[in-house]
Amino acid sequence: MDEFVEIPITGELDLHTFRPSEAGDLIDDYLEACLEKDITVVRIIHGKGTGKLRQRVHAALKRHRLVARFELASPDAGGWGATRVWLKSPDAREA
């Protein structure tokens, strides 16, 4: 049985402690929770590693209805080990 893990909603999601297979659902739930707290810019830390988790994260973000855009973080915010995500404004979500 999977354990329930409560993650603080701060606008930063660190995926290091999760299995790659959990990334999609976790990202979906986390972005929804961020919007509930009016957090519209999120940093997802996936690490550098082989790039497989980054690819999985980016695939999830590409199809997510709340994501306006995303890009690799700046060097001082994790570089290619993290992704910065901008969520759609309330008006854009309605369209």
Side-chain angles (χ1 to χ4, degrees):
M1 182 195 304
D2 292 336
E3 285 186 39
F4 177 75
V5 177
E6 188 167 339
I7 302 169
I9 309 303
T10 62
E12 182 172 284
L13 175 60
D14 188 342
L15 296 176
H16 281 106
T17 59
F18 297 93
R19 295 186 304 262
S21 61
E22 298 172 316
D25 290 337
L26 181 59
I27 289 168
D28 185 46
D29 293 344
Y30 192 80
L31 296 180
E32 292 277 351
C34 282
L35 283 178
E36 288 174 11
K37 292 188 169 259
D38 293 322
I39 298 170
T40 57
V41 180
V42 179
R43 184 169 77 123
I44 300 175
I45 303 166
H46 40 69
K48 295 179 179 176
T50 65
K52 289 188 185 263
L53 183 55
R54 180 182 69 244
Q55 291 171 350
R56 195 175 280 236
V57 167
H58 286 189
L61 295 173
K62 282 179 187 174
R63 62 180 179 267
H64 200 287
R65 65 182 179 80
L66 298 177
V67 174
R69 70 182 181 98
F70 65 92
E71 63 187 33
L72 289 176
S74 62
D76 63 324
W80 51 279
T83 296
R84 187 169 305 272
V85 182
W86 286 265
L87 302 178
K88 292 179 181 177
S89 68
D91 295 337
R93 283 180 242 143
E94 304 281 326

